[in-house]
Amino acid sequence: MLLELQIRDFAIIDRLHLRLGEGFTVLTGETGAGKSIIIDALGMLRGEKVDVTFVRAGCTRARIEGVFSLDDCPQVAPLLREHDLLDDDDGQVIVVREISAESGRSVARINGRAVNTAVLRELGGRLIDIHGQHEGLSLFNPRTHLEMLDRFGELLSLREQVASQVQILRGLRNELADLRRNEAQRQARIEELRFLIEDVTAARVRPGEEEDLVRERQVVQNMARVTGLATEAYADLYAGREGGRTPGRPIIELIATVAGNLAELARLDPSVESMATTASELHYQLEDLAAALRTYRLGLDADPGRLDALEDRLTVLRDLQRKYGGDLASLVERAANAETEIERLQNSAVHIVELERQEAATLAELGSLASRLSQRRREVGDELAQRIEGAMGDLAMPQVRFFVSIKQTPDQQGIPLAGRKVAVDRTGIDQVEFQIAPNPGEPLKPLAKIASGGESARLLLALKSILSRVDEVATLIFDEIDVGVGGRAGQVVGQKLWTITENHQVICISHLPQVAAFADTHYHIRKEFEPGRTRTQVQRLDEHQRIDELAAMLDGSPSEHSRANAREIIERAIAWKVKRQVSTP
């Protein structure tokens, strides 16, 4: 609900501050006084296009600020939270728009944070709906008709069941499409896995084998040098060297002598016990080293054909890696897991059959739900049409025919309906559009294409009065919707506008005293002239001032006779409102 509206330097308004409450607020005044300028300012808060001419002459910028309560707008809080604009501890949302006179550009802020025009439009459209004799916005947009019909008929729960089944069906069909589309790839994958198993099995690959072969190849390629080094090392340790002026003694023999001398010395001087121990340990370690060297030397294979065998084996392993990619360890692991994957792939045909069974069952369930929803929409559509035609009769248009068109689109991938297949989505199988024939003998036409003027204004009012309980926008603004309406029908217009306040805040610009008489709050708008300037002033009227204003609307200027008529009109409106409140739970 709109709590406050502040306008500064906008058109001929220099400063304006309105405090608004629940119920029915009426703005009246002479033509050109600035009533529609206030509606234009509210349009700016909805995100409508700006114009530099909106900035008051001689000012640098225009500013419009609206303070809205969130208590009656549950659909707004999630949007604010989505864009990180919600102040959880406030319960209000403040929308500001400024227009620069220099650049003509505007800046929008929601709760103090700058937002782009798209976000402003999305939020503004959920806070305010503006209706005039030339526009109906949401009601004249065919995309909203299905939503309104479902809300009017309380069909949202059934529609959610349809949406749930549609989601399940889409999931099944996507999975089936993937399986069918990949059938050729599936067969190729099975063959690839079988070849992998056969090749790895035939090659008898073991992890780490390639590294072992590379090391052995290096030894075989340098066999002479390896043998010589091993022989010399063993000789130095155990056999000693031949030649020279004095024969070389083996290292083991020398260390044995050193260990014996140190052992003898330790008996004489215990302080060298650790050195004797070290020498003894070195003796034993060198004996172990000599034995290992002897074993290594004896194990060297001098077969000239060994190098060829190693190269052949390495070629087999590397060809396998090039063919399948990855190292030998991963090939062995992939081959070990290949049988499991082959089994899964071979079972996909069985999986397809199961998915097709689930698809058929889901289609049957969805067909039943969607058909039931479509039938309920037709019943609710007939009820809505009857009520709107009745409301149009109250508004002096008894010949109007209203119709809720419900159609389906053929689709071979859709659900069966009466021997054919029709498209389905999360809302069901129906395309809904409101149609009207304003005059006898005329064909039904889409609501969006009817003539503008008082005719469309009254239709809009009839629709709003009936659909108001399912309209989520809290604040509805009607700009001269009573144009072309006479006094007798004006009484009904006032009644219907006031009735809408049972579910909404209603703000209306009116020229009819019969409408203004139903106001819970009445503002008078007038122009004031100063040297070189014109400004708009707004005054909230008390009971006596209201009588004078309605009298002026009736007769041009208040007189005793016109005041008496005004009192009668107001009393009649009050009596109707009291009766309505008593009869409505």
Side-chain angles (χ1 to χ4, degrees):
M1 184 178 74
L2 180 60
L3 302 176
E4 293 186 41
L5 176 66
Q6 294 192 57
I7 303 173
R8 180 176 299 177
D9 298 329
F10 186 80
I12 61 173
I13 298 176
D14 58 350
R15 299 286 188 276
L16 184 146
H17 185 190
L18 287 179
R19 295 184 183 275
L20 300 161
E22 297 178 353
F24 186 29
T25 298
V26 171
L27 309 177
T28 61
E30 295 295 330
T31 300
K35 301 184 299 298
S36 293
I37 295 174
I38 296 175
I39 304 301
D40 291 337
L42 288 167
M44 295 299 99
L45 297 184
R46 277 180 50 87
E48 293 176 9
K49 187 176 181 180
V50 301
D51 191 319
V52 69
T53 59
F54 283 137
V55 182
R56 183 173 169 82
C59 299
T60 59
R61 64 169 50 84
R63 187 177 193 272
I64 305 101
E65 176 180 318
V67 180
F68 297 85
S69 168
L70 293 179
D71 295 339
D72 42 17
C73 299
Q75 77 282 5
V76 173
L79 175 62
L80 292 170
R81 191 175 292 109
E82 177 185 344
H83 294 286
D84 195 25
L85 299 170
L86 181 64
D87 292 335
D88 291 317
D89 57 346
D90 199 352
Q92 294 181 348
V93 56
I94 301 174
V95 182
V96 176
R97 199 167 189 194
E98 294 182 344
I99 307 168
S100 169
E102 181 178 354
S103 65
R105 295 180 179 177
S106 70
V107 175
R109 292 183 178 85
I110 297 174
N111 284 339
R113 303 171 183 89
V115 297
N116 59 35
T117 306
V119 174
L120 180 63
R121 286 197 192 103
E122 188 177 5
L123 176 71
R126 300 188 188 191
L127 291 171
I128 306 172
D129 210 352
I130 300 175
H131 305 278
Q133 58 172 315
H134 300 295
E135 59 179 341
L137 294 182
S138 61
L139 279 176
F140 290 91
N141 182 352
R143 289 177 296 181
T144 68
H145 295 174
L146 182 141
E147 185 73 18
M148 290 182 182
L149 181 66
D150 285 351
R151 288 186 178 278
F152 175 75
E154 299 180 349
L155 302 177
L156 294 181
S157 175
L158 181 55
R159 196 173 85 183
E160 281 300 314
Q161 296 179 50
V162 170
S164 176
Q165 290 298 312
V166 167
Q167 186 173 355
I168 293 172
L169 179 65
R170 287 175 178 172
L172 291 170
R173 285 183 166 177
N174 287 339
E175 192 173 355
L176 277 168
D178 288 341
L179 288 172
R180 290 164 178 161
R181 183 170 55 251
N182 296 330
E183 181 64 20
Q185 293 92 325
R186 185 177 66 84
Q187 292 298 332
R189 178 61 176 163
I190 290 175
E191 291 300 313
E192 179 186 348
L193 291 170
R194 284 175 174 161
F195 283 131
L196 173 63
I197 294 171
E198 292 173 3
D199 289 346
V200 171
T201 302
R204 296 193 298 277
V205 179
R206 59 177 178 81
E209 180 182 5
E210 183 179 17
E211 292 79 3
D212 294 342
L213 292 173
V214 169
R215 285 194 296 269
E216 185 180 356
R217 182 181 64 179
Q218 184 175 358
V219 172
V220 173
Q221 287 174 334
N222 298 278
M223 183 59 71
R225 179 62 176 157
V226 169
T227 302
L229 290 172
T231 299
E232 287 179 8
Y234 180 78
D236 287 338
L237 286 170
Y238 227 108
R241 294 231 182 218
E242 299 295 337
R245 288 180 296 177
T246 56
R249 296 176 62 191
I251 293 173
I252 289 178
E253 184 178 322
L254 290 173
I255 195 65
T257 300
V258 171
N261 291 337
L262 287 175
E264 181 65 24
L265 178 59
R267 284 193 292 271
L268 300 174
D269 183 0
S271 66
V272 299
E273 180 67 34
S274 61
M275 290 187 285
T277 301
T278 300
S280 177
E281 290 175 352
L282 286 173
H283 180 229
Y284 291 127
Q285 289 175 2
L286 287 173
E287 284 188 330
D288 291 341
L289 177 60
L293 265 174
R294 182 173 182 274
T295 302
Y296 171 75
R297 189 187 61 178
L298 293 175
L300 290 174
D301 186 1
D303 181 1
R306 181 58 181 166
L307 182 59
D308 292 339
L310 291 170
E311 294 290 0
D312 290 344
R313 181 60 177 169
L314 283 169
T315 298
V316 169
L317 296 180
R318 287 172 178 172
D319 286 346
L320 202 59
Q321 292 177 76
R322 279 193 294 271
K323 183 176 181 180
Y324 294 105
D327 55 25
L328 289 176
S330 65
L331 281 178
V332 171
E333 183 179 0
R334 285 160 56 190
N337 297 329
E339 288 291 354
T340 301
E341 187 175 353
I342 288 173
E343 183 179 358
R344 181 179 62 80
L345 291 171
Q346 288 177 331
N347 287 336
S348 65
V350 176
H351 189 39
I352 287 175
V353 172
E354 173 60 21
L355 288 175
E356 289 174 340
R357 185 195 65 77
Q358 294 179 28
E359 179 190 27
T362 303
L363 272 173
E365 175 67 16
L366 177 57
S368 174
L369 287 171
S371 297
R372 181 149 54 96
L373 176 60
S374 182
Q375 179 59 36
R376 287 288 296 124
R377 282 173 175 159
R378 293 185 183 280
E379 295 168 359
V380 169
D382 291 343
E383 178 187 351
L384 177 61
Q386 290 176 6
R387 293 182 62 177
I388 288 176
E389 288 175 358
M392 293 301 290
D394 295 339
L395 293 168
M397 292 183 65
Q399 304 302 321
V400 166
R401 289 176 54 226
F402 187 89
F403 181 68
V404 178
S405 170
I406 300 177
K407 297 180 180 179
Q408 295 83 34
T409 301
D411 183 357
Q412 289 305 309
Q413 299 301 314
I415 63 172
L417 179 71
R420 59 195 179 106
K421 290 189 174 182
V422 298
V424 64
D425 61 20
R426 294 180 60 84
T427 65
I429 58 175
D430 302 314
Q431 290 81 54
V432 173
E433 184 174 29
F434 297 161
Q435 296 181 341
I436 186 173
N439 301 302
E442 293 183 2
L444 289 163
K445 296 179 181 179
L447 184 62
K449 295 182 180 180
I450 69 169
S452 61
E455 190 174 79
S456 62
R458 278 180 276 181
L459 173 62
L460 170 65
L461 183 57
L463 284 164
K464 273 297 181 183
S465 65
I466 293 168
L467 296 175
S468 61
R469 68 181 176 85
V470 298
D471 193 334
E472 292 186 332
V473 181
T475 300
L476 306 181
I477 298 170
F478 297 89
D479 183 11
E480 299 186 355
I481 198 170
D482 50 18
V483 169
V485 177
R488 180 176 298 179
Q491 171 81 11
V492 180
V493 170
Q495 292 172 358
K496 293 193 178 299
L497 285 169
W498 191 85
T499 301
I500 296 173
T501 63
E502 294 169 359
N503 299 287
H504 302 272
Q505 178 190 38
V506 177
I507 301 170
C508 177
I509 291 177
S510 178
H511 291 286
L512 276 181
Q514 290 84 356
V515 172
F518 282 86
D520 299 311
T521 305
H522 190 156
Y523 286 97
H524 176 67
I525 302 174
R526 69 181 185 276
K527 279 183 182 178
E528 287 187 352
F529 300 96
E530 298 177 357
R533 300 293 285 177
T534 302
R535 66 176 59 191
T536 294
Q537 292 293 328
V538 179
Q539 179 186 7
R540 180 169 179 169
L541 304 181
D542 60 24
E543 181 179 351
H544 298 293
Q545 291 168 330
R546 283 191 70 204
I547 292 173
D548 282 350
E549 175 66 6
L550 264 65
M553 294 170 73
L554 284 166
D555 201 23
S557 61
S559 65
E560 288 306 314
H561 179 71
S562 60
R563 285 190 181 97
N565 285 342
R567 288 190 192 93
E568 183 180 350
I569 292 172
I570 292 173
E571 290 170 358
R572 188 163 57 241
I574 292 172
W576 186 91
K577 288 160 67 173
V578 170
K579 183 179 179 181
R580 172 75 181 187
Q581 288 172 327
V582 170
S583 63
T584 303

